[in-house]
Each structure stands twice: as structure tokens, then as C-alpha cells.
Amino acid sequence: MALALNDKVLTEAFGPSEGTALRVKQAAMVVLGIAFLAIMAKIKVPMWPVPITMGTFAVLTIGATYGPRLGLATILGYLIIGALGFDVFAGSAANNAGLTYMMGGTGGYLVGYVLATLALGLAARAGWDRSVLMMGFALLIANALIYLPGVAWLSVLYGNSLTWAVEVGLVPFLIGDALKLGLAALLVPGLWKLIGNARS
């Protein structure tokens, strides 16, 4: 289960692989990734006990397909754009955006986005993204990395216990997150299989 860090990630399996063309491709992937994050963050699917927001799904899939460096550049670019006041987060709005929003209840989860993206990028680099089982395991780790700072920050911000923070900042989202993790665990290895079939 050790990370060998020598495999290609999904976005490296197509297009140019060196020189200026590679740099152009990477820049385009970052821009597209930021746009994808911003769009998905605004999508809410009706669900019990709370709606499913697709921002986490976008973070997980970018981490698993972009690799650690390109994924980190993308998620940091997204956060910088949000910090500048653009309405790119799930609950942000014209009158509640930028650093004010980021220091609110979702601030810890945004930190977790960075940790999750790095973890999934490293797992993908090690080849875990080729297997549904290993991809699922990596996604569980990444999701935990989102919730750890998220729940801890809720507790600090509102001065309540960690138990309270878990009850309001974790438990209501477990069903939706399980669905998103299952989808991502099937999607990424499935895309690898499609690429392999296309080249055979």
C-alpha cells in the first residue's frame, strides 16, 4: 500500500507531454478546473437530511485526476479567486464573499480541500486511481482530511464542543458524501479503462 509516486495521473494520459505545449495544456487544465469547481459548488441535489452540494465531488475528482502539483495549483487558484471576493463557493453570495466568507463556518473545510487534493494526487500518482477499491480507500482518507479541519474550526469558531461540531458539521452529510465517494470511486478507474480500450 506504499505510495510509489511513479505512475501517470489521468490528465497526463492524453495531450502533449513536454515543452511549451505541455505548459499550455497545464494552464488550460487549471483554468478549466477552477471553472469546474465554481460551477459544481453551486449545484445542490435534493437529499435527506440535507441537500448534496457537488463542490466536494469536484474537489475529489480534480485531486484524483490532476495529480498533486496540478491539483494543488488548481485548488489554490480557486481559493485565491474566492478570497478576492468572487462568488465561487457553495454558500457565498455578492454580499457574503471573499475573506469574510472564508473565515466563517466553512473555512476549515476549505483548508481540508487543499489537504484532500494533495492526498488524492499522491494516491493517483501511486496508481491507486486504477482500482475501484484503492480509489475508494483514497477517497475515504481525502474525505476525512476535509472534515478534520472543518469540524475542528466549527468548534473553535462557535466555542462549542467537538461533539456538537461533529453533530452539525459531519453527521448530516454522511449519506450524501457516501454517494459522492461511490460515484468518484467508479468514475476515475472507469475513465482509465476507457482510455486503455481506446488505445488497444
Side-chain angles (χ1 to χ4, degrees):
M1 301 251 310
L3 296 179
L5 304 184
N6 56 5
D7 282 319
K8 284 186 175 182
V9 297
L10 194 59
T11 56
E12 295 169 349
F14 61 88
S17 59
E18 59 184 6
T20 303
L22 172 61
R23 300 293 175 244
V24 171
K25 171 191 160 184
Q26 289 173 329
M29 294 301 298
V30 169
V31 172
L32 289 172
I34 292 171
F36 179 61
L37 284 163
I39 292 168
M40 294 296 279
K42 296 299 183 181
I43 296 176
K44 293 185 179 181
V45 180
M47 183 68 187
W48 181 89
V50 293
I52 298 176
T53 56
M54 296 305 292
T56 306
F57 175 77
V59 171
L60 296 176
T61 52
I62 283 176
T65 57
Y66 274 35
R69 285 197 285 187
L70 195 61
L72 181 62
T74 303
I75 196 68
L76 289 179
Y78 172 67
L79 294 178
I80 290 168
I81 288 172
L84 292 173
F86 292 92
D87 180 13
V88 295
F89 301 128
S92 61
N95 62 346
N96 181 28
L99 290 175
T100 301
Y101 175 84
M102 295 176 74
M103 293 302 293
T106 59
Y109 299 100
L110 295 175
V111 172
Y113 282 3
V114 177
L115 301 177
T117 300
L118 280 173
L120 279 170
L122 291 170
R125 182 67 73 200
W128 291 17
D129 57 342
R130 312 301 208 279
S131 158
V132 172
L133 182 62
M134 295 303 293
M135 189 74 260
F137 181 63
L139 288 164
L140 283 174
I141 294 172
N143 217 44
L145 290 173
I146 292 173
Y147 277 112
L148 283 172
V151 168
W153 177 242
L154 281 178
S155 178
V156 171
L157 183 65
Y158 294 107
N160 288 325
S161 67
L162 275 175
T163 301
W164 169 87
V166 168
E167 289 175 353
V168 301
L170 170 60
V171 173
F173 305 100
L174 289 177
I175 296 174
D177 280 352
L179 294 173
K180 286 183 281 187
L181 262 64
L183 179 59
L186 292 170
L187 177 65
V188 178
L191 290 173
W192 270 117
K193 188 174 181 180
L194 284 174
I195 290 173
N197 290 340
R199 293 182 173 181
S200 61

